[in-house]
Amino acid sequence: QVQLVESGGGLVQAGGSLRLSCAASGSIFSINHMGWYRQAPGKQRELVAAITSGGSTNYADSVKGRFTISRDNAKNTVYLQMNSLKPEDTAVYYCNANIGRYIMGADDYWGQGTQVTVSS
């Protein structure tokens, strides 16, 4: 079994900052790419940021320059530092990780989601 547990969401005023964390636990052999997605009411889930096992990153255009994704491989944890938050960043944020439980193969796992609300 593999679990992804997120933390760090909450309510913040526009211009403020939040830091999300997501820790993977369980039967893990390797973790490949990790990322953060978000889903606002009435909208499709979208990729916010992703990071490879080697540390390469990519971001949605809407968050470039404001959000930073990082990971601690020793702790099986991925972070999302969110600065200069805007009301349009309001959404449920989901952690995603591609995890191999054995020497071959890997599957995508999702966290339970954490609410981020940015007030104007």
Side-chain angles (χ1 to χ4, degrees):
Q1 294 283 357
V2 172
Q3 280 190 318
L4 298 181
V5 178
E6 300 145 346
S7 61
L11 173 64
V12 64
Q13 288 189 332
S17 298
L18 284 174
R19 189 191 194 209
L20 305 183
S21 300
C22 172
S25 63
S27 179
I28 297 172
F29 178 80
S30 63
I31 301 179
N32 303 310
H33 57 265
M34 305 182 81
W36 290 93
Y37 288 72
R38 67 186 181 188
Q39 187 166 20
K43 295 189 177 182
Q44 289 189 328
R45 190 174 296 189
E46 63 174 358
L47 175 67
V48 176
I51 184 167
T52 68
S53 57
S56 296
T57 60
N58 70 284
Y59 297 91
D61 287 343
S62 59
V63 307
K64 282 180 181 177
R66 301 187 296 122
F67 291 9
T68 302
I69 189 170
S70 61
R71 62 190 284 174
D72 184 333
N73 291 330
K75 295 181 178 180
N76 290 339
T77 299
V78 63
Y79 306 96
L80 185 67
Q81 178 65 44
M82 305 185 293
N83 298 329
S84 302
L85 282 160
K86 304 176 181 180
E88 50 263 45
D89 294 318
T90 295
V92 178
Y93 283 69
Y94 296 92
C95 173
N96 169 266
N98 186 257
I99 296 175
R101 297 180 60 198
Y102 311 100
I103 195 168
M104 294 288 290
D107 295 296
D108 277 347
Y109 293 86
W110 292 89
Q112 78 283 3
T114 185
Q115 177 70 46
V116 171
T117 303
V118 184
S119 63
S120 57

